[in-house]
Amino acid sequence: ALILAVGVYMIRRDSPIYMLSFETFKAPDDWKCNQDEIMEMMKRQNCFTQEGLNFLRRILDRSGTGPATAWPPGITKCLKPKEDNPYEHQEADRSIDASRTEAQIVIFDIVEKALKKANVKPRDIDVLIINCSLFSPTPSLCAMVVSQFGMRSDVETYNLSGMGCSASLISIDLAKKLLGRKCRAGKGCRCVIQSSVRRLRRSPRAV
């Protein structure tokens, strides 16, 4: 009975899980905007009433947003003048292509740095979890990363979207359960989590 009890305990106990590295994306200076520039960008979208802009201003004043908040380059370009007419501003690019380019710049950078810091090769990764609240394209962001870094074809991939800030914690909990399951099966396992909330208004991160 004692042997059986010890066996059950060994099977059910949680295996230790460690974070090997942590990275955040540092946006280029030309992506950064102060509050006045953010409000000007909103005006130039031509989709907000004055009442809506006043509401945005009140929210912005209470948001704690600093003078160097990163915004997507496709949006910030509307602050720049046209090359052929400096008296008119460029149009914001809210296309799928612009969003995918932004995602590639951010995700590739932090995944590469996180793997390098952990001294882990891309083909050693068993689980890939990417959380991006607003942008969920096809092919997926996970497929983009697997292709870029040459990860194994049998890597488990999970794309999470539409859950806001809570998805960061959900991603970590999912990774813990997946890693724990594989460890109990007698296998070592490595996981990459990438989290990006509201496009680039907060710093995306990878662990």
Side-chain angles (χ1 to χ4, degrees):
L2 177 60
I3 295 175
L4 178 60
V6 171
V8 171
Y9 168 75
M10 293 296 292
I11 292 174
R12 292 187 176 181
R13 71 171 182 170
D14 291 335
S15 300
I17 297 172
Y18 304 98
M19 183 172 68
L20 300 180
S21 66
F22 180 86
E23 284 293 331
T24 60
F25 177 73
K26 185 177 180 181
D29 289 339
D30 59 350
W31 289 23
K32 298 175 182 178
C33 304
N34 57 41
Q35 289 192 351
D36 291 335
E37 290 172 329
I38 292 173
M39 287 306 304
E40 185 61 31
M41 285 192 297
M42 296 301 99
K43 292 177 183 177
R44 294 183 180 186
Q45 303 312 303
N46 297 322
C47 61
F48 296 106
T49 63
Q50 188 57 50
E51 182 180 2
L53 290 171
N54 293 340
F55 175 75
L56 288 174
R57 180 81 244 191
R58 292 196 300 272
I59 295 298
L60 191 59
D61 289 340
R62 294 171 172 80
S63 67
T65 302
T69 299
W71 277 72
I75 304 299
T76 59
K77 68 180 296 185
C78 73
L79 294 174
K80 301 176 182 178
K82 291 183 178 180
E83 294 183 1
D84 58 347
N85 186 352
Y87 297 101
E88 294 183 6
H89 63 82
Q90 299 182 34
E91 295 297 324
D93 187 354
R94 298 190 293 267
S95 67
I96 293 293
D97 288 340
S99 297
R100 184 176 288 278
T101 298
E102 176 197 342
Q104 290 173 342
I105 292 172
V106 174
I107 296 174
F108 292 170
D109 177 76
I110 59 176
V111 170
E112 180 178 5
K113 290 179 179 177
L115 292 175
K116 184 177 180 179
K117 181 182 288 187
N119 195 25
V120 173
K121 297 178 180 179
R123 294 190 66 82
D124 292 335
I125 296 299
D126 301 286
V127 180
L128 174 64
I129 302 172
I130 293 183
N131 155 45
C132 185
S133 289
L134 295 184
F135 184 53
S136 184
T138 302
S140 69
L141 296 177
C142 276
M144 181 179 74
V145 171
V146 170
S147 176
Q148 173 69 17
F149 290 92
M151 294 180 178
R152 301 194 317 269
S153 60
D154 63 344
V155 63
E156 293 185 28
T157 60
Y158 298 85
N159 290 275
L160 307 180
S161 64
M163 289 183 277
C165 300
S166 65
S168 295
L169 297 177
I170 293 173
S171 299
I172 294 173
D173 183 62
L174 174 60
K176 179 184 176 184
K177 291 178 180 177
L178 293 171
L179 294 174
R181 184 188 68 192
K182 288 181 177 291
C183 288
R184 284 193 294 272
K187 301 177 180 178
C189 184
R190 296 179 177 88
C191 174
V192 172
I193 305 172
Q194 192 280 329
S195 178
S196 178
V197 183
R198 286 186 272 178
R199 293 188 74 179
L200 286 189
R201 293 185 56 190
R202 295 191 180 181
S203 297
R205 49 208 178 266
V207 297

